[in-house]
């Protein structure tokens, strides 16, 4: 495959040495993986990937004797050194006992510093980064399906590698699969590739391990633009293509703001409902939940978000999970700018207000450390770093910078930031040094260094944090108050004109335990029980269950069983788990739904049912 153009880098800052990643066994100061070659066979019957991974190495320390890699539950058959002529020689290796979070450290003795090592291995059916679905668990129920979710530290469960965002590598892959199955990866995909069981991929840009991705199944393709297409099961692909028909417009809009799209193509794979996240920004191919396919494009901000990652996250990446706000906070800000440019300021402001109000409501209950944009990593798991603080406090900080310095100035700054650090992993200290030199000091009097530091390294939200305004939301606040106060009947609410975001806002600001009579009245007027809109459904069921409305339990269980997305499922489990009877019902529902959930969703739900869950 042809190589894609790489953005020009302007290296004016010294390369920064990062602290050791507490979520990885890798020792990048000794040796770094620079390229990965995968040759794997996909077996649906065994639910495994089997083959070998060849790692090209850059030895940094002449005294180093070992290559240390991250693995989780991999069966390692052999490890060989590979010389420049392809000749192999066996290497000794040791697999340490399994740590619950980090997996098993793989130590390979390599005192001769080979240019490459080849590891023969097999995954296990329960690999935390893979989900294997039976035909019955898919939309079309014809073929099995498999997909990966490597973020945050789950790539190690299907490839032995240095599983840290600080380490970037290029990769190519040869995947053997059953005929009539399409395989896709986080690389350039060929929509016209014959389904002959033989797939090859090339990712010429260096990526971190959490962006390594694969999926396989009964996948159809429909083009949505000159450099975009939708991949999905045949019964869904048409609906998805309609929902995402603005993809090219979104790409072009972001390019005008922040510079060229560096990855060539931007495709979207709509996964089965068990996918645990809204979207995953895998390079060249976003993995997306089907829960955004509501028919009115009201939830396509997910595409804006994952596309924005092509600049903030995939292009410029946080070097450790404690710095993940550099990915998610920046991306949420850029998402808002894309949404505003394509769908209007009103929708962008409503989405920003939704997230800000929810954060205001919840941040005070979090431990002080996790309220910081860059928390102390001790005691914070890699998956736990992906909280609303990283997304919403991070984007709020950037909106504050935009307000203080002016949109034109901040746009120029952000565009320069993406170009300067393109295809690099950085930490918050590096980002802040660039911010200080290119914004704070360059335009004095707009924001002090102390104020900027408080946003990043102090808990909570600064008291002077600006919020957008929304006349529509203000009107909804008045209607909600009147409804709860008994002066406005439910059927007189102006809800016929509400979009998804406005229904979300109405429900989000209901009392945590609303009056049962009011919930009954609301449902009778607007038929919220059984809604196909999962965003509205999650909020409705959580509030109705809290109110004591047992009539919604069956529909809530159907919602929980049908949807594996963590954000849309776990709040309903939490609502049930607050009473003994509800907890028993939730446990029974989970027993039936478990087999259709991703391992990450299973773990999250089991923590809720065991009473050990943390909301953020």
């Amino acid at each position: 495959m042809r190589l894609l153009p790489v953005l020009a880098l302007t290296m004016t800052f010294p390369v920064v040495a990062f602290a050791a990643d507490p979520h990885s066994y890798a020792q990048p100061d000794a040796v770094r993986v620079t390229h990965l070659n995968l040759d794997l066979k996909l077996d649906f019957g065994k639910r495994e990937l089997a083959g070998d991974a060849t790692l090209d190495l850059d030895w940094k320390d002449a005294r180093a004797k070992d290559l240390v890699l991250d693995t989780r539950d991999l069966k390692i058959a052999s490890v060989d050194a590979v010389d420049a002529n392809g000749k192999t020689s066996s290497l000794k290796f040791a697999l340490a006992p399994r740590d619950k979070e980090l997996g098993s450290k793989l130590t390979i003795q390599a005192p001769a510093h080979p240019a490459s090592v080849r590891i023969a291995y097999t995954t296990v059916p329960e690999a935390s980064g893979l989900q294997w679905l039976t035909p019955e668990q898919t939309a079309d129920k014809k073929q099995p399906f498999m997909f990966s979710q490597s973020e945050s530290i789950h790539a190690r469960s299907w490839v032995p590698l240095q599983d840290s965002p600080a380490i970037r590598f290029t990769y190519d892959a040869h995947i053997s699969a059953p005929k009539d199955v399409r395989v896709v990866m986080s690389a350039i995909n060929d929509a016209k590739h014959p389904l002959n069981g033989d797939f090859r991929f090339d990712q010429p840009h260096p990526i971190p391990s959490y962006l390594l991705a694969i999926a396989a199944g009964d996948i159809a393709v429909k083009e949505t633009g000159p450099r975009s297409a939708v991949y999905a099961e045949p019964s869904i692909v048409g609906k998805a293509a309609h929902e995402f028909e603005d993809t090219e417009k979104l790409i072009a809009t972001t390019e005008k703001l922040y510079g060229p799209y560096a990855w060539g193509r931007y495709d979207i794979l709509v996964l089965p409902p068990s996918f645990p996240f809204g979207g995953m920004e895998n390079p060249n191919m976003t993995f997306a939940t089907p829960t955004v396919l509501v028919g009115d494009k009201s939830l396509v901000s997910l595409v804006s978000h994952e596309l924005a990652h092509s600049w903030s996250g995939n292009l410029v990446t946080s070097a450790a999970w404690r710095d993940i706000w550099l990915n998610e906070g920046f991306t949420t800000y850029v998402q808002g700018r894309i949404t505003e440019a394509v769908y209007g300021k009103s929708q962008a402001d409503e989405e920003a207000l939704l997230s800000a109000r929810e954060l205001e409501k919840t941040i005070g209950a979090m431990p002080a450390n996790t309220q910081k944009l860059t928390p102390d990593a001790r005691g914070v798991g890699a998956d736990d770093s992906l909280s609303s603080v990283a997304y919403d406090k991070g984007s709020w900080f950037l909106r504050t910078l935009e307000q203080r310095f002016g949109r034109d100035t901040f746009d120029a700054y952000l565009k320069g930031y993406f170009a300067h650090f393109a295809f690099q992993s950085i930490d918050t200290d590096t980002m802040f040094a660039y911010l200080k030199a290119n914004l704070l000091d360059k335009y004095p009097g707009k924001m002090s260094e102390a104020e900027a530091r408080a946003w990043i390294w102090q808990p909570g939200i600064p008291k002077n944090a600006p919020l957008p305004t929304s006349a529509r939301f203000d009107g909804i606040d008045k209607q909600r108050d009147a409804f709860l106060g008994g002066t406005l009947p439910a059927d007189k609410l102006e809800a016929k004109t509400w979009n998804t975001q406005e229904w979300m806002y109405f429900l989000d600001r209901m009392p945590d335990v609303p009056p049962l009579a009011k919930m009954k009245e609301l449902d009778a007027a607007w038929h919220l029980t059984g809604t196909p809109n999962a965003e509205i459904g999650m909020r409705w069921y959580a509030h109705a269950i809290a109110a004591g409305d047992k009539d919604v339990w069956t529909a809530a269980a159907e919602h929980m069983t049908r949807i594996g997305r963590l954000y849309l499922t776990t709040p309903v489990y939490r609502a049930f788990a607050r009473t003994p009877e509800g907890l028993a019902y939730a446990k029974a529902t989970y027993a039936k739904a478990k087999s259709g959930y991703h391992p990450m969703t299973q773990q999250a739900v089991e923590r809720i049912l065991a009473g050990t869950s943390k909301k953020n």
Side-chain angles (χ1 to χ4, degrees):
M1 294 184 180
R2 63 184 178 86
L3 295 181
L4 306 180
V6 179
L7 294 184
L9 305 183
T10 54
M11 296 300 295
T12 58
F13 277 65
V15 175
V16 178
F18 303 124
D21 184 343
H23 301 114
S24 171
Y25 292 117
Q27 299 171 357
D29 290 343
V31 56
R32 279 186 175 243
V33 172
T34 60
H35 182 79
L36 165 68
N37 173 273
L38 287 173
D39 192 343
L40 298 174
K41 180 181 179 181
L42 186 154
D43 191 321
F44 283 110
K46 295 181 178 179
R47 296 195 299 161
E48 70 175 24
L49 296 173
D52 53 61
T54 303
L55 309 176
D56 293 351
L57 306 174
D58 179 12
W59 291 90
K60 301 289 188 180
D61 185 348
R63 299 166 298 176
K65 295 182 180 179
D66 298 328
L67 167 64
V68 177
L69 301 176
D70 295 301
T71 75
R72 181 187 289 128
D73 302 325
L74 296 180
K75 299 176 182 178
I76 308 297
S78 64
V79 180
D80 292 325
V82 185
D83 67 18
N85 297 316
K87 183 179 178 181
T88 62
S89 56
S90 180
L91 295 175
K92 294 181 179 179
F93 66 92
L95 199 60
R98 186 186 193 276
D99 177 85
K100 185 176 181 180
E101 180 181 9
L102 301 184
S104 300
K105 178 170 67 172
L106 175 61
T107 303
I108 300 168
Q109 297 179 23
H113 292 185
S116 304
V117 298
R118 181 170 296 148
I119 303 162
Y121 71 98
T122 305
T123 64
V124 299
E126 301 79 20
S128 64
L130 300 176
Q131 185 172 20
W132 300 86
L133 301 176
T134 64
E136 292 72 29
Q137 293 171 318
T138 67
D140 290 357
K141 307 187 185 307
K142 292 181 179 179
Q143 293 185 14
F145 204 105
M146 182 275 292
F147 65 89
S148 67
Q149 174 54 39
S150 294
E151 190 179 30
S152 54
I153 56 171
H154 300 279
R156 66 190 66 182
S157 73
W158 64 283
V159 181
L161 75 181
Q162 294 178 316
D163 196 10
S164 168
I167 302 162
R168 301 176 71 113
F169 55 88
T170 55
Y171 81 85
D172 61 274
H174 173 230
I175 309 296
S176 301
K179 291 184 178 180
D180 298 326
V181 166
R182 185 184 301 277
V183 180
V184 296
M185 292 193 75
S186 53
I188 294 291
N189 290 271
D190 179 6
K192 296 181 174 61
H193 195 293
L195 304 185
N196 58 4
D198 188 81
F199 291 83
R200 296 181 185 273
F201 303 92
D202 177 35
Q203 178 51 268
H205 294 311
I207 65 168
S209 54
Y210 75 87
L211 295 179
L212 190 64
I214 187 172
D218 184 13
I219 302 172
V221 188
K222 194 162 186 177
E223 299 284 341
T224 54
R227 49 181 166 171
S228 63
V230 167
Y231 290 65
E233 291 184 69
S235 66
I236 293 173
V237 71
K239 182 179 181 181
H242 172 73
E243 201 85 7
F244 301 142
E245 65 185 1
D246 294 333
T247 299
E248 178 60 34
K249 188 187 299 183
L250 298 174
I251 299 170
T253 297
T254 317
E255 287 184 313
K256 289 179 182 177
L257 289 169
Y258 304 118
Y261 178 73
W263 303 87
R265 286 192 61 85
Y266 180 76
D267 296 326
I268 300 170
L269 171 65
V270 180
L271 288 168
S274 61
F275 183 50
F277 297 111
M280 182 62 211
E281 65 272 16
N282 299 313
N284 297 112
M285 179 166 279
T286 280
F287 285 16
T289 172
T291 60
V292 300
L293 304 179
V294 294
D296 62 1
K297 302 183 184 178
S298 61
L299 299 179
V300 296
S301 58
L302 175 135
V303 177
S304 300
H305 185 92
E306 305 310 335
L307 171 63
H309 268 301
S310 300
W311 285 261
S312 49
N314 299 4
L315 192 64
V316 183
T317 304
S318 60
W321 295 106
R322 71 188 296 263
D323 299 304
I324 196 60
W325 81 277
L326 297 179
N327 288 20
E328 298 299 352
F330 276 66
T331 291
T332 304
Y333 170 80
V334 173
Q335 166 197 326
R337 294 294 305 279
I338 299 169
T339 298
E340 177 182 329
V342 177
Y343 299 109
K345 190 174 187 300
S346 177
Q347 182 168 328
D349 286 348
E350 287 186 354
E351 291 178 358
L353 268 172
L354 274 170
S355 62
R357 292 301 190 196
E358 180 64 17
L359 183 63
E360 284 182 322
K361 182 179 178 181
T362 58
I363 194 169
M366 301 179 194
N369 182 46
T370 59
Q371 296 179 33
K372 303 172 185 176
L373 284 179
T374 303
D376 182 339
R378 288 175 295 181
V380 179
D383 288 342
D384 295 333
S385 300
L386 292 161
S387 77
S388 58
V389 171
Y391 290 77
D392 300 330
K393 184 179 177 181
S395 60
W396 204 341
F397 174 44
L398 297 190
R399 290 197 304 273
T400 304
L401 290 172
E402 179 200 322
Q403 183 193 68
R404 296 288 187 86
F405 291 90
R407 175 165 283 190
D408 290 345
T409 297
F410 190 62
D411 279 354
Y413 164 79
L414 205 53
K415 186 175 182 179
Y417 168 85
F418 292 140
H420 181 87
F421 292 113
F423 298 108
Q424 298 181 64
S425 296
I426 65 172
D427 61 10
T428 299
D429 288 337
T430 304
M431 182 284 303
F432 195 84
Y434 187 86
L435 176 75
K436 184 175 184 300
N438 292 278
L439 204 61
L440 303 182
D441 292 350
K442 191 174 180 180
Y443 303 97
K446 303 288 187 181
M447 178 182 283
S448 69
E449 180 179 345
E451 187 178 358
R453 286 186 173 277
W455 267 101
I456 297 170
W457 283 287
Q458 293 297 318
I461 303 165
K463 292 181 180 179
N464 61 348
L467 277 173
T469 59
S470 169
R472 296 277 295 176
F473 276 12
D474 290 344
I476 289 171
D477 282 332
K478 293 177 182 178
Q479 291 187 63
R480 187 192 311 102
D481 290 344
F483 165 65
L484 291 171
T487 60
L488 181 67
D491 60 3
K492 299 302 182 184
L493 290 167
E494 297 174 4
K496 284 184 179 180
T497 65
W498 292 354
N499 62 24
T500 296
Q501 285 75 22
E502 288 156 0
W503 264 112
M504 290 162 63
Y505 184 73
F506 177 84
L507 293 169
D508 275 347
R509 296 180 71 78
M510 291 285 282
D512 289 341
V513 183
L516 175 59
K518 288 297 179 184
M519 293 293 97
K520 290 286 193 182
E521 182 186 351
L522 193 63
D523 202 17
W526 298 103
H527 310 292
L528 297 175
T529 299
T531 174
N533 188 313
E535 288 275 6
I536 295 172
M538 175 268 283
R539 290 163 168 82
W540 166 248
Y541 294 126
H543 280 92
I545 292 165
D549 187 356
K550 291 186 178 180
D551 289 341
V552 307
W553 281 23
T554 300
E558 189 279 331
H559 171 101
M560 295 151 65
T561 303
R562 174 172 53 90
I563 299 168
R565 183 180 173 187
L566 284 160
Y567 155 73
L568 294 175
T569 300
T570 54
V572 187
Y573 274 103
R574 286 194 187 95
F576 273 124
R578 291 189 181 104
T579 66
E581 187 179 0
L583 178 61
Y585 188 82
K587 288 181 177 179
T589 300
Y590 177 63
K592 298 175 183 177
K594 178 179 178 179
S595 63
Y597 286 160
H598 189 277
M600 293 183 194
T601 306
Q602 292 176 3
Q603 292 169 14
V605 173
E606 287 168 9
R607 285 197 296 267
I608 292 169
L609 299 181
T612 58
S613 170
K614 294 179 288 184
K615 189 171 182 181
N616 284 289

